[in-house]
């Protein structure tokens, strides 16, 4: 279809639809949230996509947007979820019935938070247990290396409508097949337990370390969260504390960037502490970071000290035009912004829902930044305070603070729509059943020939990369979880134990 006008294609949306599910699985204790069929579709789709796009030569900019969901996600506990491509002005909602007591929806509004089991279902791990096709990370890496490189792709989007979680190690391998990648826009959700977050942060360190030698120009990171969801889990802090090691990895990866925005995934203090002597950012024009100090509950001297330290680091950025440090949550929003306007004006702005005074020494430090980057600049300080505005979520804070590049506009709209529906209820005009999907959202009816090909390929991958340990001791130490996985894959696990020979 695009053979003769391929240069006109600027955006590709890969929409992966998982199996639909009923109420027996939407919030129960069945951990098999992603089935064999789902993994077959995912692996085959990624293979076909990379194989096809590898024949496209580099011709300008080409954006790849990858999404994964089940059409049933918005039919049970999460009726406010919306899903669509990045190009539409409004997300396409697939809404369920207004009254659904079984899922705590009364008169179009949720009467309670979802269960932890329901949340685990929609936040399941992609290519994870128990139907993983790969024995371990090394085997998965070997599979990714069999896929051809795709030089045509220059930008990747992974938006927050992806509640299913791609492991950072998987993303590291995926991005390694894109040699001309210039922009990575990543909007993951936070993990919902301390242990999961620790494992995820370790994966983040590897992911961002792998980006450091790449020729990226733009890196936009936004770790999404929902303060209602965190209250559903016993071992989940209301607001998670960023890991300083992740901050170090992102700081190092930013040295050759033109634009960095990292919201909630790291803290500005970790960025500042990671800076080493001799480091500089020769190309960076825009930097946006979040700070947990900007909560309205910290001592003003700590905030002034942090913002003054940011000015010292800004002196290492000769092309800097904008630096933003912000924070937002229910009931609170704050922004510190330094911005060069034209060649002769620098503006220092404080905007918040709570009182704070920029100290003279802080203003002087940022005047030095402006003087270092321009000639003959005059300096303006602006302060805005609105203690009466209602902030229902971090998305409201983003709107109030007029932040333009911390996440995709479609993603911002989805957060706002979800909170509005939970507070105000589902619109009266929307009926008892699912709305008729538009053509772009119709689930494709794959032919028997396609499924036959997909199953053959998936079976080949499982046979090759779900390798069986040769050591008797190694098999025993893997425990019952691994033995169950072998049985699911069609192996006689008891026979494997009997036949395996101890290492001598």
């Amino acid at each position: 279809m695009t053979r003769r006008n391929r240069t006109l294609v600027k955006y590709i949306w890969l929409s992966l639809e998982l199996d639909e599910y009923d109420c027996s699985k939407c919030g129960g204790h069945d951990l098999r949230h992603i089935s064999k069929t789902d993994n077959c579709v995912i692996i085959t789709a990624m293979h076909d996509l990379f194989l096809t796009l590898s024949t496209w030569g580099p011709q300008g900019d080409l954006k790849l947007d990858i999404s994964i969901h089940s059409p049933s996600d918005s039919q049970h506990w999460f009726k406010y979820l919306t899903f669509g491509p990045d190009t539409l002005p409004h997300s396409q909602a697939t809404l369920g019935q207004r009254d659904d007591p079984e899922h705590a929806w009364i008169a179009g509004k949720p009467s309670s938070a979802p269960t932890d089991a329901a949340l685990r279902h929609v936040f399941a791990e992609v290519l994870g247990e128990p139907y993983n096709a790969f024995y371990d990370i090394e085997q998965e890496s070997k599979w990714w290396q069999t896929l051809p490189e795709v030089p045509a792709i220059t930008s990747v989007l992974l938006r927050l409508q992806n509640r299913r979680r791609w492991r950072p190690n998987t993303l590291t391998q995926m991005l390694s097949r894109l040699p001309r990648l210039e922009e990575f826009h990543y909007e993951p959700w936070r993990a919902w337990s301390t242990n999961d977050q620790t494992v995820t942060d370790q994966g983040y360190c590897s992911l961002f370390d792998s980006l450091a030698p790449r020729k990226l120009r733009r890196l936009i990171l936004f770790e999404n969260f929902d303060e209602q969801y965190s209250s559903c889990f016993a071992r989940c802090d209301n607001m998670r504390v960023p890991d300083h090691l992740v901050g170090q990895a992102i700081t190092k990866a930013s040295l050759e960037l033109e634009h960095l925005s990292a919201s909630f995934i790291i803290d500005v203090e970790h960025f500042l502490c990671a800076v080493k002597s001799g480091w500089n950012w020769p190309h960076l024009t825009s930097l946006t970071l979040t700070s947990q100090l900007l909560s309205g509950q910290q001592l003003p001297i700590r905030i002034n000290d942090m913002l003054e330290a940011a000015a010292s680091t800004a002196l290492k950025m000769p092309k800097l035009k904008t630096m933003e440090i912000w924070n937002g949550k229910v009931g609170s929003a704050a922004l510190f912004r330094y911005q060069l306007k034209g060649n002769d004006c620098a503006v220092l702005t404080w905007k918040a829902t709570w009182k704070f005074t920029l100290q003279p020494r802080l203003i002087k430090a940022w005047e030095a930044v402006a003087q270092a980057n321009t000639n003959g600049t005059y300096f303006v300080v602006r302060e805005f305070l609105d203690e009466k505005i209602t902030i229902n979520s971090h998305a409201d804070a983003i709107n109030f603070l007029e932040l333009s590049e911390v996440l995709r506009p479609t993603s911002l709209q989805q957060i706002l729509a979800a909170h509005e529906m939970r507070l105000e209820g589902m619109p009266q005009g929307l009926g008892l059943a699912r709305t008729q999907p538009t053509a772009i959202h119709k689930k494709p009816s794959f032919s028997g020939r396609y499924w036959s090909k997909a199953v053959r390929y998936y079976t080949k991958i499982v046979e090759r990369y779900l390798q069986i340990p040769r050591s008797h001791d190694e098999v025993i130490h893997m425990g019952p979880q691994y033995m169950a996985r072998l049985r699911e894959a069609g192996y006689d696990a008891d026979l494997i134990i009997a036949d395996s020979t101890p290492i001598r």
Side-chain angles (χ1 to χ4, degrees), residues 14 16 36-52 127 133-134 143-144 147 446 449-461:
L14 176 65
L16 298 169
K36 278 185 178 180
T37 305
D38 294 331
N39 277 346
C40 179
V41 169
I42 294 167
I43 288 176
T44 304
M46 299 305 293
H47 170 267
D48 290 350
L49 176 77
F50 278 72
L51 191 65
T52 300
L127 300 181
F134 308 103
W143 172 72
W144 279 105
L147 302 186
F446 295 123
R449 183 177 180 181
Y450 173 86
W451 277 114
S452 177
K453 168 196 162 188
V455 170
R456 285 198 306 272
Y457 179 71
Y458 180 70
T459 302
K460 176 183 175 182
I461 295 303

Side-chain angles (χ1 to χ4, degrees), residues 215-380:
K215 295 182 179 180
L216 284 182
R217 293 189 303 108
R218 295 171 57 83
L219 179 60
I220 300 94
L221 308 170
F222 187 92
E223 186 179 77
N224 198 32
F225 61 93
D226 190 307
E227 294 177 60
Q228 183 193 59
Y229 291 176
S230 59
S231 65
C232 300
F233 296 96
R235 299 178 180 178
C236 182
D237 296 330
N238 185 41
M239 298 297 293
R240 84 105 159 178
V241 178
D243 190 308
H244 73 281
L245 294 178
V246 179
Q248 291 177 8
I250 292 176
T251 305
K252 186 177 180 181
S254 72
L255 289 172
E256 297 298 325
L257 294 176
E258 295 176 13
H259 173 78
L260 171 65
S261 176
S263 300
F264 302 113
I265 194 168
I266 64 170
D267 192 271
V268 66
E269 288 193 304
H270 295 156
F271 183 97
L272 299 175
C273 290
V275 177
K276 294 183 178 180
S277 176
W279 278 14
N280 61 75
W281 288 258
H283 312 297
L284 195 68
T285 61
S286 176
L287 176 63
T288 300
L289 300 169
T290 46
S291 171
Q292 293 191 342
L293 289 179
L294 303 186
S295 63
Q297 300 173 345
Q298 296 291 335
L299 292 174
I301 189 172
R302 289 195 62 193
I303 300 174
N304 274 285
D305 287 345
M306 179 270 291
L307 296 177
E308 189 174 353
S312 297
T313 301
L315 290 172
K316 299 173 178 286
M317 306 170 182
K319 293 187 178 180
L320 186 68
K321 303 295 183 184
T322 303
M323 181 184 286
E324 296 172 322
I325 301 173
W326 72 284
N327 195 20
K329 60 179 182 177
V330 175
S332 175
L335 167 69
F336 173 87
R337 177 187 285 135
Y338 163 81
Q339 188 173 30
L340 284 180
K341 293 190 174 182
N343 296 321
D344 59 354
C345 180
V347 180
L348 206 63
T349 303
W350 172 261
K351 187 174 185 178
T353 58
W354 43 274
K355 294 179 180 179
F356 174 73
T357 301
L358 301 176
Q359 294 297 319
R361 61 182 174 88
L362 171 62
I363 296 173
K364 184 176 181 179
W366 282 98
E367 283 181 335
V369 175
Q371 291 171 2
N373 292 351
T374 60
N375 294 318
T377 298
Y378 65 90
F379 205 74
V380 178

